Amino acid sequence: MVNFGKKLMADQVEEWKGYYINYKLMKKMLKQYVQQTQLGGKDREQVLKEFSRILDEQIERIVLFLLQQQGHLANRIEELGEQRAALLEQHDISQVFQLREAYREVGRDLIKLLRFVDMNATGIRKILKKFDKRFGYRFTDYYVTTRANHPYSQLQQVFKQVGIVAVVGALSRNLAYLQDHEGSVLSIYDHPSVTLKDPIIDQVNHAVQKLTHATSFLQFLGQHALIIQEDVQSGSEDLVDDQSYHFMSLLLNLVNTFLYMVNTYIIVPTADDYSVSLGAAATVCGVIIGSMAVAQVFSSVYFSAWSNKSYFRPLVFSSIMLFSGNLLYALAYDLNSLTVLLIGRLLCGLGSARAVNRRYISDCVPLKIRLQASAGFVSASALGMACGPALAGLLQTRFKIYSLTFDQSTLPGWVMCIAWVVYLLWLWISFKEPGHFAKSSDTAQPAESGHQVNANLEEGLAQPLLTGSEEGQDQNAENNDDNEEESKNSHGPATSMSSAYKLLTPSVKVQLLIYFMLKYAMEILLSESSVVTTYYFNWSTSAVAIFLAILGCTVLPVNAIVGSYITNLFEDRQILVASEIMVLIGIIMSFRYTLHYSVPQYVLSALITFVFAEVLEGVNLSLLSRVMSSRLARGTYNGGLLSTEAGTLARVVADATITAAGYLSPDLLLNITLLPPLVICIASLVATFCTYNTLY
C-alpha cells in the first residue's frame, strides 16, 4: 500500500497543487517539535499553540479555495440556466443534448472538488492522529473542541458541506428540467421521491451523501443494523452484481430475523405462570427468558464462522434447532419438567442465526440496495418484537388433544413449531446459495480506469474527518508512513476475540458499554413486566401482552422521527447524550418510593425508558459503525458479532438478576433489579463525556 503522503502527491489536480494540505511540511514540523521537546527547547503548551496555528492556516487556505471553486461552479450553472431558459423559449430541441452535456461537465468538475475535500480531510485526520501518537497528548480533543464548535468555524466547512449540497441541488434541478423539456412542470423539490436518472448526478449524490453523513430514515435504520461497510483501499467494483443477487434469499433471511424475534418475546407474558405451574417461583421466568440469550452468546460465534463458507446450511440448522427447542418448550408442561423447558429454550438460543442474516446482507446484496436491506433487517426485528407479545395475548385458551395440553403457556411453543416447519420447507425450496461468501481485499477485482477515481472517491468519502473506519489501520500504519508498503496482516480481519478486543479504541469501548447498558435496562423492563404488573396491579396475561406489544410498536415510529428529523437538527453525539440522560430519568422514575406504586408511574417510566433506549440504540450503533476499525468489518470476529455479544451478555446478566432477586421479598424485586442499570447508566454517561470530542 502506497503511503498517504505519496498518494496525496500522485492524486492531486495539477492546477490546484498549491491549495492542498502540505502534508509533508506538517510531518516535518511534527518531527522538529518532537526533537525540540526532547531537548528541552520548547514545552508542550508552546508546541500545541504553534502547531494549532500552522494547522489553522492550512485549513483556512483549503476552505477559501473550496468556497472560491463553489462560486465558480455556481456561476457556470447560472450561465447555463440562462442558456436553458432561452433554449426552451425557442423550442430548439436539437440543442438540448449539448446543454445537458455542459451541465454534466459541471458535475464532473464537482466530483473533482469533492475529491479535493476528501484528500484534505484525510490529511487533517491523519496529521491529528500523528500528533496524538507522537506526543501522547489528546491534541485532537483540544483542536476539535476549540475549532469545530466555534461560531466562525472553518473546520465545519469540511464537516457539513452545505455549499456543495446547494450546488448539487441546482445541478439536479436544471438537468431534471432538460430531461422533461416538453412542457412538464416537474420539480425535484415538489417530488423529492422522483430520482433523476443521470450517471453523473448519481455519482455526485452518492459521494455527497457519504461526505455529509446524511441520515434519512433508511440510513438511520441501516446503521441501526450495524452492517459495517468494508473499507476499500483502492478503487474496486461491488462484488455483488444484479445477476447474482437473489431477492427470495434476502427475504428468507429477513423472515428468519422476524420469526426469531417473535420466538424470543412470545413467551414473556406467560413465562412466570409457566414456571409456577412447574413448581418453581414466578421469578424463575428470568432464567427461562435468559437461557435463550445464554446459548446465543455461543451460537453467534459459530454462526459467524459458518457464514464464511455457507448461508443455506446455517439457516437450515437454525430452523431445526428452533423447531426442536420449541417442541421441548411445549412438551415441558405435560412432562412436568422445568429441565426440559430450559433445554428447549437453550436449543432455541443455539439456533440464533442473526449473525448469518447480517452477514448475508453485507456480502450478498448489491451496494445500491444494501441500505434498504439493512433497514429491512431492523424493521423485521422491531415487527417481531411487537408481534411476539401480541400473539401471546391471542393464545388465551385451554384444551387437550389426547394427552397433550394446549394453553397460554404451551401454545407459544406449538405455534412457533409450526412456523419453523413452514419456514424450513420454504427455505429448502426457494433459497439460492450465493457463488461467493466472504469478500476479501486480496480477491477484489480492480475497477476499470474510467470508474476508478469515482470508486476511490465514494469509498473515501464514507469516512468522517477525525474518526473513521481507518482507526485500526492508522494504529499500525502511522509509524511507517514513509514506507512504500505495509504488512498485509495489519489490514486483515481479526482472527480471535482477543485480537478483535485489541482493535477497540476508547471510543468504541464506551459505545459498547452504552449498548450493554441499554440492552440491560430494556431486558429488565421486559422480562420482569409480567411479575411486577401481576404483583402490584393484578394485570392479566392479556393486559401484559397488550402493554408489551404497544412498547414494541413504538420502535419504528420513533426511529422514523429520529432518522428523518432529529438527526438533521442535532449531531449524533448530542442525541446520544440526551438519550442517555432520558434513559437515566426513566430508570429513576421506575423505582418504588412509597407504599403505593401506581399504574401511571409504571407505564410512564417504562415508556420513557424503552423509547429513549431505542433512540439510544440507533444513534449508538450509528456512531459505533463510524469509529470502529475497518478490520472489524469482515471475518468471523466482526463488529456485528462484538455488538451482538455485548447485547446478549447484558440480557443474560439482567435475567439472572431477576431470578436472583426473586429469592428476596417480592416487594423488593423492582428496586433491587433497577439498581444495576442505574449504576451502569451513570457510568456510561461519565464515559461518554470523557470521549465526547472523539465522536464525529
Side-chain angles (χ1 to χ4, degrees), residues 495-603:
T495 56
S496 66
M497 195 63 79
S498 61
S499 63
Y501 181 80
K502 292 177 182 178
L503 294 174
L504 303 184
T505 62
S507 298
V508 175
K509 291 176 182 177
V510 170
Q511 295 309 306
L512 288 175
L513 172 64
I514 293 171
Y515 192 67
F516 179 92
M517 178 274 294
L518 68 90
K519 286 297 183 183
Y520 194 115
M522 291 174 68
E523 189 70 11
I524 288 289
L525 170 64
L526 298 174
S527 294
E528 72 175 9
S529 59
S530 183
V531 177
V532 170
T533 55
T534 300
Y535 180 78
Y536 288 109
F537 316 129
N538 290 319
W539 281 9
S540 64
T541 301
S542 297
V544 177
I546 293 171
F547 172 68
L548 293 178
I550 291 172
L551 286 181
C553 288
T554 63
V555 175
L556 286 179
V558 167
N559 279 326
I561 293 171
V562 174
S564 300
Y565 302 105
I566 305 300
T567 52
N568 294 326
L569 300 175
F570 304 98
E571 296 177 2
D572 281 359
R573 57 180 183 169
Q574 294 173 325
I575 303 172
L576 183 84
V577 172
S579 300
E580 284 184 84
I581 293 172
M582 291 305 299
V583 170
L584 179 61
I585 291 173
I587 294 172
I588 293 173
M589 288 177 60
S590 300
F591 279 88
R592 181 189 174 202
Y593 297 100
T594 62
L595 293 176
H596 178 67
Y597 191 60
S598 66
V599 173
Q601 180 187 349
Y602 176 76
V603 172

Side-chain angles (χ1 to χ4, degrees), residues 8-142:
L8 177 63
M9 294 297 295
D11 292 350
Q12 286 180 359
V13 178
E14 183 66 30
E15 59 268 26
W16 294 355
K17 277 194 172 181
Y19 301 101
Y20 286 85
I21 183 173
N22 195 334
Y23 190 69
K24 185 175 181 180
L25 172 66
M26 300 297 286
K27 287 203 307 175
K28 182 179 179 181
M29 294 298 299
L30 189 56
K31 290 178 182 178
Q32 290 179 359
Y33 285 138
V34 171
Q35 294 172 355
Q36 289 171 354
T37 54
Q38 289 174 347
L39 297 174
K42 290 185 178 180
D43 58 30
R44 291 198 174 190
E45 185 176 354
Q46 187 178 1
V47 168
L48 188 71
K49 290 181 178 180
E50 288 187 13
F51 198 76
S52 296
R53 178 182 55 79
I54 296 171
L55 190 55
D56 286 342
E57 292 172 354
Q58 294 282 321
I59 292 175
E60 182 176 276
R61 186 177 72 251
I62 294 166
V63 169
L64 291 177
F65 178 75
L66 173 63
L67 295 173
Q68 182 187 71
Q69 292 301 310
Q70 288 175 188
H72 290 331
L73 292 174
N75 288 335
R76 288 169 62 186
I77 292 174
E78 184 179 7
E79 292 172 2
L80 291 174
E82 294 173 357
Q83 296 179 32
R84 177 185 60 79
L87 186 64
L88 294 181
E89 286 179 3
Q90 298 170 8
H91 301 286
D92 190 354
I93 306 302
S94 62
Q95 300 296 318
V96 170
F97 177 78
Q98 294 182 7
L99 189 57
R100 184 184 293 122
E101 283 303 309
Y103 275 114
R104 286 174 177 167
E105 188 61 34
V106 175
R108 294 185 185 97
D109 288 342
L110 180 57
I111 290 175
K112 284 169 54 180
L113 188 60
L114 287 166
R115 179 62 177 164
F116 170 83
V117 177
D118 170 50
M119 295 296 291
N120 284 292
T122 303
I124 295 169
R125 181 176 65 249
K126 283 181 173 289
I127 208 67
L128 286 170
K129 289 181 179 179
K130 273 182 170 294
F131 193 101
D132 286 352
K133 193 164 189 177
R134 295 286 180 89
F135 284 90
Y137 182 80
R138 298 306 294 261
F139 176 69
T140 300
D141 283 358
Y142 162 78

Side-chain angles (χ1 to χ4, degrees), residues 181-255:
H181 56 78
E182 297 180 354
S184 171
V185 292
L186 177 69
S187 170
I188 63 170
Y189 302 114
D190 296 328
H191 303 274
S193 61
V194 176
T195 303
L196 177 62
K197 299 297 182 182
D198 189 280
I200 295 296
I201 294 299
D202 286 344
Q203 293 169 18
V204 172
N205 282 338
H206 192 191
V208 171
Q209 285 171 3
K210 289 186 174 183
L211 180 62
T212 59
H213 295 294
T215 48
S216 66
F217 180 38
L218 282 180
Q219 287 170 313
F220 186 77
L221 288 179
Q223 290 171 324
H224 200 149
L226 194 62
I227 295 171
I228 303 173
Q229 302 301 320
E230 183 174 339
D231 198 20
V232 179
Q233 295 298 333
S234 60
S236 61
E237 295 176 348
D238 188 16
L239 296 182
V240 185
D241 55 27
D242 291 336
Q243 287 72 33
S244 63
Y245 162 63
H246 191 235
F247 172 76
M248 188 60 70
S249 299
L250 171 62
L251 181 61
L252 282 162
N253 272 278
L254 297 180
V255 171

Side-chain angles (χ1 to χ4, degrees), residues 219-513:
Q219 287 170 313
F220 186 77
L221 288 179
Q223 290 171 324
H224 200 149
L226 194 62
I227 295 171
I228 303 173
Q229 302 301 320
E230 183 174 339
D231 198 20
V232 179
Q233 295 298 333
S234 60
S236 61
E237 295 176 348
D238 188 16
L239 296 182
V240 185
D241 55 27
D242 291 336
Q243 287 72 33
S244 63
Y245 162 63
H246 191 235
F247 172 76
M248 188 60 70
S249 299
L250 171 62
L251 181 61
L252 282 162
N253 272 278
L254 297 180
V255 171
N256 182 279
T257 298
F258 168 76
L259 288 178
Y260 184 78
M261 294 303 290
V262 172
N263 211 144
T264 300
Y265 290 99
I266 193 172
I267 72 158
V268 172
T270 59
D272 58 335
D273 289 338
Y274 206 167
S275 61
V276 170
S277 68
L278 296 178
T283 51
V284 174
C285 68
V287 173
I288 296 173
I289 297 170
S291 56
M292 193 169 175
V294 170
Q296 190 179 341
V297 171
F298 303 98
S299 66
S300 297
V301 177
Y302 67 71
F303 271 117
S304 182
W306 204 350
S307 63
N308 290 325
K309 300 180 180 179
S310 174
Y311 297 103
F312 176 69
R313 289 191 292 273
L315 291 175
V316 170
F317 178 77
S318 166
S319 304
I320 293 172
M321 294 298 288
L322 283 155
F323 167 79
S324 304
N326 283 291
L327 181 63
L328 290 179
Y329 184 87
L331 292 173
Y333 183 85
D334 293 305
L335 296 174
N336 194 29
S337 174
L338 182 63
T339 302
V340 171
L341 184 146
L342 292 175
I343 291 174
R345 289 295 288 179
L346 285 169
L347 289 178
C348 288
L350 292 175
S352 172
R354 288 173 66 80
V356 179
N357 305 144
R358 275 195 179 108
R359 186 70 175 273
Y360 185 88
I361 294 172
S362 177
D363 288 356
C364 303
V365 175
L367 187 62
K368 62 182 179 181
I369 62 168
R370 196 170 298 161
L371 191 62
Q372 290 90 331
S374 302
F377 175 84
V378 176
S379 300
S381 299
L383 188 60
M385 187 177 182
C387 287
L391 185 58
L394 298 175
L395 302 176
Q396 303 302 301
T397 185
R398 182 181 177 86
F399 59 91
K400 275 202 168 192
I401 299 179
Y402 298 108
S403 58
L404 297 178
T405 302
F406 297 84
D407 62 7
Q408 65 176 16
S409 297
T410 62
L411 275 172
W414 292 116
V415 169
M416 294 312 302
C417 276
I418 296 172
W420 286 112
V421 168
V422 172
Y423 175 79
L424 182 58
L425 292 174
W426 183 18
L427 180 73
W428 197 273
I429 294 169
S430 303
F431 191 86
K432 180 182 176 182
E433 186 79 277
H436 68 283
F437 305 108
K439 290 188 287 187
S440 169
S441 58
D442 293 334
T443 60
Q445 297 297 319
E448 296 178 7
S449 58
H451 300 285
Q452 187 167 357
V453 172
N454 292 334
N456 275 335
L457 170 67
E458 292 175 356
E459 292 298 335
L461 294 179
Q463 304 166 8
L465 176 61
L466 301 179
T467 60
S469 58
E470 287 187 344
E471 187 73 34
Q473 296 174 14
D474 285 343
Q475 298 295 326
N476 297 298
E478 290 298 331
N479 282 337
N480 302 305
D481 196 34
D482 297 321
N483 295 333
E484 284 288 337
E485 296 183 353
E486 298 175 44
S487 170
K488 290 183 180 179
N489 292 333
S490 67
H491 302 289
T495 56
S496 66
M497 195 63 79
S498 61
S499 63
Y501 181 80
K502 292 177 182 178
L503 294 174
L504 303 184
T505 62
S507 298
V508 175
K509 291 176 182 177
V510 170
Q511 295 309 306
L512 288 175
L513 172 64

Side-chain angles (χ1 to χ4, degrees), residues 171-189:
L171 194 63
S172 302
R173 185 183 67 83
N174 283 279
L175 275 173
Y177 279 130
L178 286 176
Q179 192 177 70
D180 197 45
H181 56 78
E182 297 180 354
S184 171
V185 292
L186 177 69
S187 170
I188 63 170
Y189 302 114

